[in-house]
């Protein structure tokens, strides 16, 4: 440790690097913020990440709340004023809330939470040089005070073996302690801009197109080249165990949207078609949508709908936007 002078040196040293499985060693290059695609689009459009409390105070329109209400309730008011990052992807929270889930699945969960279309923002480690940056050795979403640190020496002493723990638990492990330390956080008060943002990771091409479609022109110009679709076999940042839309297409007068797998869950599905200026054209709704053994959903576009220009098609499942893209069909 005596020869370590910078955070980047620390994260490439045996103190950190040796705690990671070979397939996960890239984790130590960044810190991470993840959220639903609508929230991420809002972050990219405004050019900053804003704390939960400031979002509420300014009445900003973040359309999805990833976090569990019980956990939020147990988080101090001080923590709600923080912008929060993780040392790693694949946290226990992400496992609970990643992907499209039915209302029944959410309500039956031990800690109900939902992030239907997760997107990761990856930040350079130079963010640790930002004034006012603090970090913890475990989750701040606890029902007791959790200590925050801000010195380089304290960072060197962090329990990286548990923070980056990803193997199955054994009977000798402190399971609950490790779960908390997998949630170790990096925080800053109120807000932070995006000058340290290096990459944006999406699960599949359809979700990347959705993010791009939600960006305003200046944000699209600034960030589109950083949006990447990550192959799960090479860069493990998503669990990919729940429902997701993988493709959408128009075949004659029919809009078809494809999922990654069948599902017996029941959803309220809404497909909405509008002009690029937001003018409504038509929609189709099914309050009892079930994929069953199929992986396809579909909506007929009635011939009476006069489409003379490019259109935007949105898919909204249980009140959550899960797909948006522009089509040219005339």
């Amino acid at each position: 440790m005596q020869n370590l002078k910078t955070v980047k040196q620390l994260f490439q040293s045996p103190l950190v690097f040796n705690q990671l499985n070979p397939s996960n060693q890239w984790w130590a290059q960044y810190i991470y913020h993840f959220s639903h695609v609508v929230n991420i689009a809002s972050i990219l459009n405004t050019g900053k990440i804003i704390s939960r409390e400031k979002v509420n105070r300014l009445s900003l329109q973040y359309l999805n709340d990833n976090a569990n209400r019980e956990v939020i309730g147990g988080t101090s008011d001080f923590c709600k004023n923080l912008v929060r990052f993780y040392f790693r992807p694949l946290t226990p929270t992400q496992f609970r809330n990643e992907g499209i889930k039915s209302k029944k699945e959410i309500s039956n969960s031990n800690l109900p939470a939902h992030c239907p279309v997760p997107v990761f923002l990856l930040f350079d480690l130079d963010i640790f040089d930002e004034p006012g940056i603090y970090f913890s050795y475990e989750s701040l979403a606890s029902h007791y005070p959790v200590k925050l640190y801000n010195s380089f020496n304290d960072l060197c002493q962090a329990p990286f073996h548990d923070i980056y723990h990803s193997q199955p638990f054994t009977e000798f492990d402190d399971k609950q302690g490790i779960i908390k330390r997998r949630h170790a956080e990096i925080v800053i008060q109120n807000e932070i801009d995006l000058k340290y943002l290096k990459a944006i990771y999406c699960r599949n091409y359809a979700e990347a197109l959705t993010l791009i479609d939600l960006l305003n022109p200046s944000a699209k110009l600034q960030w589109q080249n950083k949006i990447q679709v990550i192959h799960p076999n090479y860069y493990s940042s998503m669990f990919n165990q729940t429902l997701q839309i993988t493709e959408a297409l128009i075949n004659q007068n029919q809009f078809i949207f494809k999922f990654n797998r069948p599902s017996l869950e029941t959803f309220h599905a809404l497909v909405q078609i509008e002009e690029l200026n937001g003018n409504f054209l038509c929609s189709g709704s099914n309050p009892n949508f079930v994929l069953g053994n199929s992986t396809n959903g579909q909506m007929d576009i009635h011939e009476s709908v006069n489409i003379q220009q490019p259109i935007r098609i949105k898919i909204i499942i249980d009140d959550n936007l899960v797909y948006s893209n522009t089509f040219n069909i005339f």
Side-chain angles (χ1 to χ4, degrees):
M1 192 177 88
Q2 294 178 349
N3 296 324
L4 299 176
K5 296 181 180 180
T6 69
V7 172
K8 286 186 175 178
Q9 287 177 347
L10 168 63
F11 276 75
Q12 292 303 308
S13 74
L15 275 176
V16 175
F17 214 63
N18 288 355
Q19 312 309 318
L20 289 149
N21 290 335
S23 61
N24 297 336
Q25 287 179 340
W26 67 273
W27 287 0
Q29 299 176 41
Y30 308 100
I31 66 167
Y32 304 84
H33 182 88
F34 89 100
S35 192
H36 179 52
V37 64
V38 174
N39 302 353
I40 295 296
S42 179
I43 289 168
L44 298 176
N45 285 334
T46 58
K48 54 189 174 183
I49 309 178
I50 300 174
S51 70
R52 180 181 299 276
E53 183 61 30
K54 191 167 185 179
V55 166
N56 293 337
R57 191 164 66 245
L58 298 177
S59 300
L60 298 177
Q61 297 301 307
Y62 278 51
L63 301 183
N64 174 267
D65 196 341
N66 308 316
N68 167 252
R69 291 291 175 184
E70 180 181 335
V71 170
I72 294 171
T75 305
S76 71
D77 290 338
F78 171 74
C79 290
K80 293 173 187 176
N81 283 303
L82 300 175
V83 175
R84 299 162 73 173
F85 303 86
Y86 291 118
F87 284 87
R88 52 169 290 171
L90 301 182
T91 64
T93 292
Q94 182 187 342
F95 177 77
R96 289 194 296 267
N97 67 11
E98 179 188 312
I100 299 170
K101 297 183 179 182
S102 69
K103 291 181 178 180
K104 179 182 176 182
E105 287 178 293
I106 296 169
S107 64
N108 287 343
S109 171
N110 291 332
L111 287 173
H114 196 205
C115 182
V117 182
V119 178
F120 264 99
L121 302 181
L122 284 64
F123 289 82
D124 192 280
L125 296 173
D126 286 340
I127 198 172
F128 280 97
D129 297 329
E130 191 75 10
I133 281 284
Y134 288 81
F135 52 90
S136 67
Y137 291 170
E138 61 177 275
S139 171
L140 295 177
S142 301
H143 294 272
Y144 56 85
V146 174
K147 187 173 182 179
L148 288 173
Y149 305 87
N150 70 343
S151 76
F152 181 69
N153 183 62
D154 286 328
L155 187 60
C156 291
Q157 299 299 322
F160 290 112
H161 175 75
D162 290 350
I163 289 172
Y164 289 118
H165 185 280
S166 59
Q167 59 265 38
F169 291 109
T170 72
E171 60 181 306
F172 306 106
D173 286 330
D174 173 16
K175 181 176 179 180
Q176 294 307 313
I178 292 173
I179 288 173
K180 283 186 171 293
R181 289 185 283 276
R182 285 177 175 178
H183 279 110
E185 299 181 48
I186 304 98
V187 298
I188 191 167
Q189 277 197 292
N190 293 322
E191 65 180 59
I192 189 168
D193 64 30
L194 304 181
K195 65 183 176 182
Y196 299 104
L197 179 58
K198 293 300 181 183
I200 303 164
Y201 282 4
C202 298
R203 293 185 299 182
N204 63 54
Y205 187 58
E207 294 180 348
L209 290 176
T210 297
L211 176 58
I212 292 168
D213 194 58
L214 294 174
L215 298 181
N216 63 41
S218 60
K220 193 175 296 185
L221 184 65
Q222 184 174 6
W223 302 116
Q224 185 169 349
N225 67 343
K226 292 187 182 294
I227 298 173
Q228 304 175 43
V229 176
I230 301 305
H231 195 290
N233 291 342
Y234 297 103
Y235 292 96
S236 52
S237 59
M238 304 287 187
F239 287 101
N240 289 306
Q241 294 182 3
T242 50
L243 210 58
Q244 56 185 270
I245 291 177
T246 57
E247 186 180 4
L249 54 94
I250 290 179
N251 183 13
Q252 296 180 343
N253 286 330
Q254 193 171 69
F255 176 61
I256 300 169
F257 45 105
K258 299 184 178 182
F259 292 84
N260 59 322
R261 62 176 180 81
S263 172
L264 298 178
E265 296 296 324
T266 301
F267 302 91
H268 185 289
L270 170 66
V271 177
Q272 186 168 301
I273 301 177
E274 59 187 39
E275 296 175 345
L276 297 190
N277 60 11
N279 288 338
F280 174 81
L281 289 173
C282 66
S283 66
S285 177
N286 183 349
N288 296 296
F289 174 72
V290 180
L291 277 170
N293 294 323
S294 173
T295 57
N296 289 355
Q298 62 188 48
M299 171 191 167
D300 293 329
I301 303 173
H302 201 275
E303 294 179 358
S304 63
V305 177
N306 184 21
I307 299 175
Q308 300 295 328
Q309 58 185 338
I311 58 172
R312 173 170 289 110
I313 299 183
K314 298 178 178 178
I315 303 173
I316 300 166
I317 294 181
D318 287 344
D319 300 321
N320 293 301
L321 179 72
V322 296
Y323 179 84
S324 180
N325 197 21
T326 301
F327 291 84
N328 191 338
I329 65 172
F330 57 89

